Amino acid sequence: MIERVTEIYVAVFPVMVSEDRMAEVILAGYSKDPNMPNMLQVRATVETQAKAVQEMVKLCDEIVEEQEEIDSYRLLKFDKDGIHILSPDDFRTFEQQHTNVRWGFC
């Protein structure tokens, strides 16, 4: 059985192309699989299933945090109705949304 792709979710990152030009790019990479040390996981910033977007947002947040050259990204959805800009916050878990909270006395 073949499942047709009806929507694509993409994260695009701004990068410098030249001194006065920026472009948005799609990133992908590999990481070690903690459950299978001899295997690598492909980690991409393109998904075809809405249920995978939460994990993709987590990956994109890690990229922004770890890569000095990258400080933001846009989350897009492509479907039969066109291109839609999505908010990554809609796909973050409660723990991800509140990782930088600082408590203090008023």
Side-chain angles (χ1 to χ4, degrees):
M1 179 179 195
I2 297 175
E3 189 175 323
R4 289 183 167 241
V5 174
T6 58
E7 56 196 21
I8 298 173
Y9 299 87
V10 179
V12 290
F13 297 83
V15 295
M16 293 291 291
V17 175
S18 66
E19 215 172 276
D20 59 343
R21 296 191 76 170
M22 298 275 296
E24 288 184 315
V25 299
I26 299 168
L27 300 177
Y30 294 96
S31 67
K32 293 277 187 191
D33 186 335
N35 300 322
M36 303 175 89
N38 296 331
M39 304 273 304
L40 292 174
Q41 291 178 322
V42 175
R43 301 187 77 188
T45 57
V46 175
E47 292 293 349
T48 59
Q49 301 287 324
K51 63 185 174 195
V53 176
Q54 183 177 350
E55 190 63 29
M56 184 177 76
V57 166
K58 183 179 174 186
L59 170 63
C60 293
D61 290 343
E62 289 174 16
I63 291 169
V64 168
E65 188 175 307
E66 294 172 2
Q67 297 295 317
E68 187 177 304
E69 307 83 11
I70 298 174
D71 60 359
S72 65
Y73 66 94
R74 289 192 315 144
L75 184 59
L76 306 174
K77 176 184 175 184
F78 295 79
D79 63 18
K80 65 180 176 64
D81 298 319
I83 302 171
H84 314 276
I85 298 173
L86 304 177
S87 172
D89 284 338
D90 294 340
F91 298 93
R92 289 189 178 106
T93 63
F94 180 78
E95 293 81 23
Q96 289 172 305
Q97 291 177 353
H98 301 285
T99 55
N100 295 325
V101 172
R102 296 180 194 263
W103 297 96
F105 295 102
C106 296

